[in-house]
Amino acid sequence: MHSLPIFVRLAGRAVMLLGQGEAADAKRRLLERAGAVIVGEEVQAALAIVAIEDEDAALAAVERLKARGVLVNAVDRPALCDFTLPAIVDRDPVLVAIGTGGSSAGLAAALRQRLEALLPAQLGELATALLAARGEMRARWPDPAARRRALAAGLGAGGPIDPLGVDPDLGLWLNAETEAPQHELVMLRPRSADPDDLTLREARALAQADRVYHPIDAPAAILDRARADADRIIGTAPAALPPGLSVQLEMPA
């Protein structure tokens, strides 16, 4: 990854904004939505946005700020940026950010428009309800791994709390009698080393796996589609599987 995506809470915190004009106004509106206190260069802050049109003045401002240890976003100058500002789909408290590392704001905007049409308006309500139900979830599934499996099953396509479904029903899910399988093995035989060739079912299995058994030369691009905290184990899955979802990855000869 060229950058680590993070979400920063800016409410009540100072952020420098340098420059005038359309680009500066757009960044000002974005910072105001996040609750930031917009200040000038004379105030101490951890972040700064430089939206100065004149090239020499912009470069000088970036140099001054970086010398002070400030992280800088230089509008339309990706090579100078310590951080970039993504296109945003807002389903509060769910935020989806699309970044291109400064390569193309137009591409990020086009993807945002597609996602706006895909993600339902009640997505934020579901997130808020899941937060409120944490105590109930812990009571029903005391084991964190079992709780994660139950969530994955409930949130999956067609599940009772499918986030892309018509009417996710948290109560139905919490009170259902069925349990997620204690252990499951999915055989994965990708057609190539290109992760874009994975089917939706294969990609979902990797994303939900507790562990991935794989050959020593398995492509990193495929393994990267697994959860970051999933165990990666070189070899073959044992006959007696541990609890949770195991994926056996077999690459074509």
Side-chain angles (χ1 to χ4, degrees):
M1 296 190 299
H2 58 74
S3 304
L4 177 66
I6 61 173
F7 291 89
V8 181
R9 295 186 184 273
L10 293 179
R13 302 183 66 177
V15 177
M16 298 180 202
L17 177 60
L18 280 62
Q20 301 291 331
E22 183 178 335
D25 290 343
K27 302 307 181 187
R28 181 179 299 277
R29 288 191 293 270
L30 187 62
L31 291 173
E32 288 173 346
R33 283 176 59 192
V37 178
I38 301 171
V39 299
E41 192 175 352
E42 71 283 355
V43 177
Q44 183 60 40
L47 301 178
I49 297 176
V50 175
I52 301 173
E53 294 184 6
D54 180 79
E55 186 70 14
D56 291 338
L59 291 175
V62 169
E63 186 175 346
R64 290 194 307 271
L65 293 169
K66 289 192 175 188
R68 292 169 55 181
V70 178
L71 296 176
V72 177
N73 170 268
V75 176
D76 293 333
R77 299 172 178 90
L80 300 178
C81 289
D82 298 310
F83 69 95
T84 56
L85 298 175
I88 298 169
V89 180
D90 188 352
R91 297 289 186 273
D92 186 40
V94 177
L95 295 175
V96 180
I98 306 103
T100 64
S103 300
S104 173
L107 174 59
L111 293 172
R112 178 189 62 78
Q113 292 167 9
R114 298 285 185 90
L115 290 173
E116 285 280 8
L118 176 66
L119 299 179
Q122 76 269 18
L123 188 60
E125 296 175 13
L126 176 60
T128 301
L130 285 168
L131 174 62
R134 278 186 174 181
E136 294 178 74
M137 288 189 284
R138 289 194 179 101
R140 175 158 187 185
W141 299 288
D143 176 62
R147 189 162 59 248
R148 185 177 63 245
R149 292 193 296 272
L151 266 170
L155 292 166
I161 51 173
D162 179 355
L164 300 185
V166 175
D167 187 19
D169 192 329
L170 188 61
L172 175 65
W173 172 65
L174 283 170
N175 295 312
E177 295 183 1
T178 56
E179 297 284 348
Q182 290 301 305
H183 54 77
E184 182 182 3
L185 177 64
V186 173
M187 303 298 296
L188 212 67
R189 300 181 177 89
R191 284 144 296 285
S192 75
D194 186 348
D196 287 340
D197 286 340
L198 292 170
T199 66
L200 181 60
R201 185 182 298 274
E202 291 169 340
R204 186 180 297 123
L206 281 170
Q208 296 177 359
D210 294 285
R211 63 200 62 83
V212 180
Y213 297 92
H214 62 88
I216 192 170
D217 58 349
I222 297 288
L223 293 176
D224 284 347
R225 293 298 178 97
R227 286 185 14 240
D229 58 346
D231 293 329
R232 281 117 168 114
I233 304 167
I234 297 174
T236 304
L241 288 170
L245 175 60
S246 300
V247 168
Q248 178 67 63
L249 178 62
E250 296 180 355
M251 298 304 300

